[in-house]
Amino acid sequence: MASIGADLCRKIYPEPVDHFDRLPDSLILLIFNKIGDVKALGRCCVVSRRFHSLVPQVDNVVVRVDCVISDDDPSSNSSSSASGSAAGDKSRHPISSLFRIFFSGIFKPLQSLSQLITPSARRLPLSEDFDCEAEQSTVTHHSPTQVLKNFNEIKLLRIELPTGELGIDEGVLLKWKAEFGSTLDSCVILGASSVVQSANSGYNCLGACNTAIGSDSGVENDNGSIPESFYTNGGLKLRVVWTISSLIAASARHYLLQPIIAEHKTLSSLVLTDADGQGVLSMNKEQLEELRVKPLSASSASKRTLVPALNMRLWYAPHLELPNGVVLKGATLVAIRPSEQPKKEVAGSEANWVASAFQEPFGTAARMLVKRRTYCLEMNSF
């Protein structure tokens, strides 16, 4: 009778079935790869043992950094004079004093899962070097290397910094994209002294962009010399600073990625960008493999990859109006490759390479500038 009653009870009140458990691991991994964000994956990790075992197999990961802390750790300063000296160094070298990247208070769900990340706690005194909001006096930080150490199958990795490294004035445009192997392969820089909206901006953006790219409206007769406005009002100095600062920022990012690249042999694409969209460093599968097998030329003092001697092509327009009504004043485009690479004319596919470095409307700006007169420059290694 007891067994009959139990059977009857199970028929009336069947045990709940978790239909998610019926999904194969491959499908769950597909979902996790669509999620990508490492914080969300960390939360998934604590849902169940099954999820905890599957998350390290994700091959498409996005890491968004909450804050950047200077290498000059305020806790290591033994006196006010030492602190003042460090502050002076940073004011003189805003980029060459590289940073450490940390994740602040975003992995609380993972703190009990030491298999996925290795937590390290330290007390952070209030100072100008640390401007992230902390809920407690003791904050747990995780470097990207720590966060990623137990992901075993990463193929696509994107790391996003909270801001660009280069401090620029409001209204100034500065964007760059660099590709690296064991050293710099190429870099494209787009800058403008100011960006304003034209009064006559009632255009169909897509159609107008295609019209502008196919026309010669961007070509200007400059009699073979750079216009005077390129030099006046500190314009030349500003563009030199843009170029060198962008190259230093790119080489510093590249240096930072070495431990991650060495540890994750399955990587086929790596992008290090920032939330401002100021700079993008990218490496494809061949470039990643080149870095693993070829010794890296790096400066341990400045903590960045050394930049080889360079050939540069420059295009300039005092006034460049884009089809969507945006006006770039003092628009400057610089395409950079190592001197040892074969020289190529920036036309056809090369022009597409330069323009494809930027999203619209700045890709259109690059295409319009490339059609203008080209000025060739050289730069020594540094």
Side-chain angles (χ1 to χ4, degrees), residues 176-181 183-189 247 250 280-282 287 310 334-338 341 350 353:
W176 59 266
K177 182 177 181 180
E179 294 188 359
F180 276 79
T183 186
L184 179 70
D185 279 351
S186 66
C187 183
V188 185
I189 303 168
L247 288 171
V280 178
L281 182 149
S282 65
Q287 292 164 334
L310 303 171
V334 184
I336 303 170
R337 288 186 184 274
Q341 288 188 3
E350 281 289 293
W353 159 68

Side-chain angles (χ1 to χ4, degrees), residues 105-122:
I106 60 176
F107 288 106
K108 293 180 180 179
L110 290 179
Q111 289 178 357
S112 61
L113 304 177
S114 59
Q115 296 90 345
L116 188 59
I117 56 177
T118 304
S120 62
R122 64 183 176 94

Side-chain angles (χ1 to χ4, degrees), residues 223-246:
N223 298 319
S225 61
I226 299 178
E228 186 68 21
S229 58
F230 184 85
Y231 302 98
T232 57
N233 299 321
L236 175 60
K237 179 181 178 181
L238 177 64
R239 284 158 181 82
V240 170
V241 170
W242 284 350
T243 302
I244 296 177
S245 298
S246 298

Side-chain angles (χ1 to χ4, degrees), residues 2 36 138 278 362:
T138 301
Q278 183 182 94
F362 303 113

Side-chain angles (χ1 to χ4, degrees), residues 120-179:
S120 62
R122 64 183 176 94
R123 185 172 296 275
L124 296 177
L126 297 177
S127 71
E128 294 180 357
D129 291 336
F130 183 72
D131 57 0
C132 296
E133 296 180 1
E135 297 177 356
Q136 302 173 350
S137 60
T138 301
V139 182
T140 301
H141 296 287
H142 308 270
S143 73
T145 305
Q146 289 174 312
V147 173
L148 298 170
K149 66 178 297 184
N150 275 60
F151 283 92
N152 306 318
E153 305 291 339
I154 300 180
K155 295 179 180 178
L156 309 177
L157 175 60
R158 178 184 176 91
I159 302 176
E160 184 178 292
L161 301 175
T163 59
E165 300 93 325
L166 310 181
I168 56 176
D169 296 332
E170 186 176 355
V172 174
L173 171 69
L174 180 59
K175 292 182 176 293
W176 59 266
K177 182 177 181 180
E179 294 188 359

Side-chain angles (χ1 to χ4, degrees), residues 304-377:
R304 63 176 180 83
T305 303
L306 293 179
V307 176
L310 303 171
N311 287 325
M312 298 187 292
R313 295 177 180 272
L314 182 145
W315 299 266
Y316 173 75
H319 180 99
L320 187 69
E321 183 169 354
L322 304 183
N324 65 351
V326 172
V327 177
L328 306 182
K329 295 185 178 181
T332 307
L333 178 68
V334 184
I336 303 170
R337 288 186 184 274
S339 300
E340 62 186 22
Q341 288 188 3
K343 293 184 178 180
K344 298 180 181 179
E345 291 297 327
V346 182
S349 61
E350 281 289 293
N352 292 333
W353 159 68
V354 172
S356 64
F358 308 106
Q359 296 181 350
E360 296 298 341
F362 303 113
T364 297
R367 289 186 179 92
M368 294 172 69
L369 284 166
V370 165
K371 293 164 61 178
R372 306 174 76 90
R373 184 178 295 277
T374 303
Y375 304 94
C376 298
L377 307 169

